[in-house]
Amino acid sequence: MCLCTTPMAKCVPTPRARQLGRLLWYLLIILFILMIVGFFGNVSTSGLFCIGLVITGLCGVRSNDCYDIEQIMCVVFFSGYLWVFSLVGLILYLVDGGQSPTALVSFFGGVVFYAFTCYFSKQLYDELRLNYTALAPDQQPGMFGGGGGGFGMGRFMNRGQAYQQADAPYQNQQGAYDQRPVNPEQGNIPPYQASSRQASQKFQAFKGPGHSLG
């Protein structure tokens, strides 16, 4: 969902959205560094979620001319979840008497910068949502980036239109469906079925042995 978004999710960012996107990009880099610090401090429970958050956020703001509003929405949810996760982990670590400087830096940094990421990504999402401007069809990026590459949506739609134009002469030759019956007297019943039905409906004399009352 977060990495494979719809073409309508691509929008043109406003100048304020570009500033927020640049700030979000720096925050994601800081979170990635804190994740590496956490690995050295044996704090790697949220490492995979952080990697997913960083990848999704960088994909959402990778271009100054095109932001992905659905990926920014995913960043809001992921960063909020990881903020709660880091806060609970920090409290449990302090209750257990942990004093490792590396782990404390990872926990405190996570609590602070996950909160910043959630707040500013929400600001960016609202800015894109309230000032939504869709990209032109020829500016839509392809499935793997770029402006309508070999696997792009635009080329796929053009190929479908070409197939429809190629089939148009054959559709014109077929004509519309004729609902008139083949035989007005028999309706649309095939001839052999109609003849058998008519033969069965004719009166047939009794062919069994005769009986007398005497």
Side-chain angles (χ1 to χ4, degrees):
M1 173 184 173
C2 293
L3 294 179
C4 301
T5 58
T6 60
M8 296 301 296
K10 311 296 181 182
C11 58
V12 178
T14 60
R16 182 173 181 269
R18 290 190 178 94
Q19 295 178 357
L20 293 172
R22 190 178 301 109
L23 178 60
L24 179 61
W25 191 86
Y26 289 127
L27 289 173
L28 293 173
I29 297 300
I30 295 174
L31 288 177
F32 185 75
I33 296 174
L34 288 174
M35 182 194 66
I36 297 176
V37 173
F39 283 140
F40 288 102
N42 294 326
V43 183
S44 58
T45 53
S46 61
L48 294 178
F49 294 101
C50 183
I51 293 175
L53 171 66
V54 172
I55 292 176
T56 304
L58 293 179
C59 290
V61 296
R62 67 180 182 272
S63 175
N64 290 329
D65 300 328
C66 172
Y67 281 5
D68 195 306
I69 190 172
E70 292 183 4
Q71 291 177 340
I72 302 301
M73 180 181 62
C74 292
V75 172
V76 177
F77 289 135
F78 284 159
S79 57
Y81 167 77
L82 290 174
W83 175 77
V84 176
F85 195 85
S86 298
L87 181 60
V88 174
L90 175 62
I91 295 174
L92 294 177
Y93 185 78
L94 295 176
V95 169
D96 293 339
Q99 298 180 355
S100 174
T102 307
L104 289 176
V105 169
S106 178
F107 277 122
F108 275 111
V111 171
V112 173
F113 286 100
Y114 280 132
F116 284 164
T117 303
C118 183
Y119 175 77
F120 288 109
S121 61
K122 181 62 169 60
Q123 294 293 319
L124 177 58
Y125 174 76
D126 290 338
E127 181 69 18
L128 296 175
R129 179 176 58 86
L130 297 176
N131 302 279
Y132 178 80
T133 302
L135 290 178
D138 55 346
Q139 295 179 350
Q140 287 287 347
M143 185 180 299
F144 300 101
F151 296 95
M153 181 63 68
R155 185 171 180 179
F156 177 77
M157 295 176 64
N158 292 334
R159 185 177 299 177
Q161 293 177 359
Y163 288 153
Q164 292 179 359
Q165 293 176 0
D167 293 339
Y170 299 99
Q171 295 176 358
N172 294 332
Q173 292 178 2
Q174 291 178 358
Y177 173 68
D178 189 3
Q179 297 182 353
R180 293 177 299 176
V182 178
N183 191 340
E185 298 180 356
Q186 300 176 359
N188 289 329
I189 304 175
Y192 69 94
Q193 294 183 3
S195 60
S196 60
R197 179 175 295 183
Q198 290 178 357
S200 61
Q201 292 178 356
K202 291 182 179 180
F203 175 78
Q204 296 181 359
F206 182 74
K207 297 181 180 180
H211 296 278
S212 61
L213 296 177

